[in-house]
Amino acid sequence: MDLQELKNRAKQEIDKVVDLDEIEKTFKKYLGKKGEVALIFDSLKDLAIEEKKALGQEANVLKQEIEEFFEQRKKEIKNTASEIKQTTERIDITRPGTKMARGHLHPLTLVLKDALKIFQTMGFEIAQGPELETEWYNFDALNVPKDHPARDMQDTFWLRQNMSTNYKKQITNNNKSNKLLMRTHTSPVQVRYMETHQPPLRIIVPGRVFRNEATDAKHEAQFYQLEGLMVDKEVSACNFKAIIEEFLKRFFKANVEIRLRPGFFPFTEPSFEIDAKRADGKWMEIMGAGMTHPNVFKAAGLNVSVSAGHGWCGFAFGVGVDRLALLKYKINDIRLLYQNDMRFLEQF
Ligand code: FA5
């Protein structure tokens, strides 16, 4: 075996290679597992000891030399490539960059963020509760009579009872009605909160609610409410009106015409419904409200003996967040808020 000849041949061939792919192939040919150098090492086993030693050493040197040829050539190829790149490719730093498509907040998120901020500056704290509720918190604790139509299958999404006992333990209250439903309003959080917090208190509760009803331009089967509750020693409907007017003024950044109508909710007495005037001059209901019914305080375990001079009183309200969005952005159909049509969403 003429090692010198092999070395020269390898050198010539390696020097002719012009790209890294080809280098790989040539490397295999000479230094691969079945390459020419490996064949030399294989052939050693048939030689006498002395010969084996001598040829073995030479082969090792040859292997190293060929490896160096490869390293050298690789460097050269890389250098030429970067030279070519430098001379042919130029970065024009004066060109304007490609604009990144930026995401933005959904109109409902914008409205919620805004509304929460305004109430927070008025001393309200944010509270939350589960979307999957029990009949007790959603209806019983709120003084809703057993035969109230809202409890009907037509208005409420009831759940089958076979849910994880673990989750059930988290949200239920043992000796009360544990029948599960998707909450139909954010009012249950009033009771949940008062069970664990003593008045005076002011909370605001944003959240998703569900109703088994047909949709139209003003109604969705799933929408957002913002519940408010203020409990103190002396709270009146005047406080409520002042706070709501202040909220609406800041939220719409203009005076919005509103009207209070007498309403009926089992959990407030007296109760009101509040309408706001739309751009087209028509009234739209935006919230229900009223003075907290003593039975709600009782359900939450609070003292309501006003006559003894240490009872609590308060007001509560539930605003339709979607309705606020319709008014603020002059949207004429609530369903647009949930269709994820980019042509609509990109306007916010
Ligand atoms: C309630 O849900 C009461 N929990 C509100 C309340 C809270 C009263 C605290 C008193 C004290 P109502 O069903 O009217 O009430 O809903 C309140 C608001 O949610 C409505 O004024 C309206 O703005 C909005 N809303 C009601 N139903 C829908 C619907 N299907 N789609 C969109 N918004 C709705």
Side-chain angles (χ1 to χ4, degrees), residues 171-342:
I171 71 159
T172 56
N173 191 332
N174 277 336
N175 50 4
K176 319 286 191 212
S177 166
N178 286 341
K179 270 179 78 182
L180 294 168
L181 49 83
M182 299 308 292
R183 67 174 174 198
T184 59
H185 51 180
T186 40
S187 301
V189 187
Q190 291 186 30
V191 181
R192 287 185 174 277
Y193 192 84
M194 287 192 285
E195 279 177 340
T196 49
H197 296 80
Q198 280 298 313
L201 52 89
R202 288 180 205 197
I203 54 162
I204 201 84
V205 184
R208 203 151 47 141
V209 303
F210 308 83
R211 292 194 191 171
N212 194 356
E213 64 177 290
T215 66
D216 62 24
K218 283 192 280 185
H219 295 87
E220 256 296 351
Q222 173 241 238
F223 57 100
Y224 284 83
Q225 282 189 342
L226 184 62
E227 188 86 7
L229 172 70
M230 176 170 171
V231 181
D232 211 323
K233 293 281 169 179
E234 283 176 20
V235 177
S236 72
C238 294
N239 296 124
F240 162 70
K241 191 162 174 270
I243 283 182
I244 285 306
E245 276 175 352
E246 181 62 22
F247 163 71
L248 294 172
K249 198 159 89 189
R250 293 202 208 166
F251 179 79
F252 290 108
K253 298 191 176 69
N255 279 326
V256 180
E257 223 182 307
I258 59 166
R259 68 177 185 196
L260 258 71
R261 285 183 285 119
F264 175 75
F265 298 103
F267 35 96
T268 47
E269 179 57 39
S271 305
F272 327 104
E273 259 160 347
I274 287 103
D275 301 331
K277 208 172 219 176
R278 299 197 309 198
D280 61 6
K282 289 188 183 144
W283 293 102
M284 179 166 70
E285 186 195 314
I286 53 168
M287 75 177 87
M291 304 306 294
T292 309
H293 195 290
N295 286 351
V296 178
F297 287 139
K298 268 188 216 148
L302 286 189
N303 175 11
V304 284
S305 58
V306 184
S307 55
H310 41 64
W312 298 108
C313 58
F315 66 74
F317 58 87
V319 194
V321 176
D322 308 65
R323 300 273 177 95
L324 290 180
L326 302 190
L327 282 167
K328 182 154 191 169
Y329 300 118
K330 302 188 173 56
I331 301 165
N332 58 15
D333 196 318
I334 191 173
R335 289 164 294 194
L336 287 166
L337 294 169
Y338 297 95
Q339 283 164 351
N340 290 332
D341 185 332
M342 290 306 284

Side-chain angles (χ1 to χ4, degrees), residues 37-204:
V37 174
L39 289 180
I40 298 174
F41 284 110
D42 274 355
S43 69
L44 294 182
K45 63 179 184 299
D46 304 324
L47 299 180
I49 286 204
E50 283 306 307
E51 256 181 312
K52 197 188 258 181
K53 216 170 162 184
L55 190 60
Q57 269 170 3
E58 276 179 53
N60 269 328
V61 173
L62 174 72
K63 188 176 169 222
Q64 267 174 21
E65 285 173 332
I66 298 183
E67 274 169 359
E68 277 162 26
F69 295 157
F70 274 111
E71 281 315 307
Q72 180 61 28
R73 188 64 194 142
K74 261 195 222 166
K75 262 190 222 150
E76 288 167 4
I77 292 174
K78 279 185 189 154
N79 284 345
T80 348
S82 83
E83 265 168 37
I84 291 172
K85 214 172 170 186
Q86 275 173 26
T87 49
T88 55
E89 276 180 27
R90 279 194 192 247
I91 297 170
D92 179 358
I93 56 166
T94 63
R95 272 182 64 177
T98 334
K99 237 187 174 173
M100 295 240 282
R102 277 180 63 187
H104 47 90
L105 296 177
H106 190 278
L108 281 173
T109 313
L110 291 171
V111 166
L112 267 175
K113 275 180 81 163
D114 228 17
L116 290 177
K117 205 160 85 199
I118 297 170
F119 279 111
Q120 279 177 303
T121 63
M122 294 199 264
F124 285 78
E125 255 176 64
I126 299 174
Q128 278 184 314
E131 290 176 357
L132 179 51
E133 254 305 356
T134 64
E135 182 175 29
W136 162 257
Y137 284 109
N138 197 80
F139 293 126
D140 298 327
L142 292 169
N143 199 36
V144 180
K146 282 273 178 239
D147 57 356
H148 196 282
R151 299 198 188 207
D152 220 312
M153 286 292 286
Q154 273 77 46
D155 294 297
T156 302
F157 290 113
W158 292 94
L159 267 84
R160 289 198 200 104
Q161 296 296 294
N162 55 356
M163 64 160 354
S164 113
T165 37
N166 238 353
Y167 183 65
K168 215 161 156 182
K169 253 192 225 142
Q170 273 175 41
I171 71 159
T172 56
N173 191 332
N174 277 336
N175 50 4
K176 319 286 191 212
S177 166
N178 286 341
K179 270 179 78 182
L180 294 168
L181 49 83
M182 299 308 292
R183 67 174 174 198
T184 59
H185 51 180
T186 40
S187 301
V189 187
Q190 291 186 30
V191 181
R192 287 185 174 277
Y193 192 84
M194 287 192 285
E195 279 177 340
T196 49
H197 296 80
Q198 280 298 313
L201 52 89
R202 288 180 205 197
I203 54 162
I204 201 84

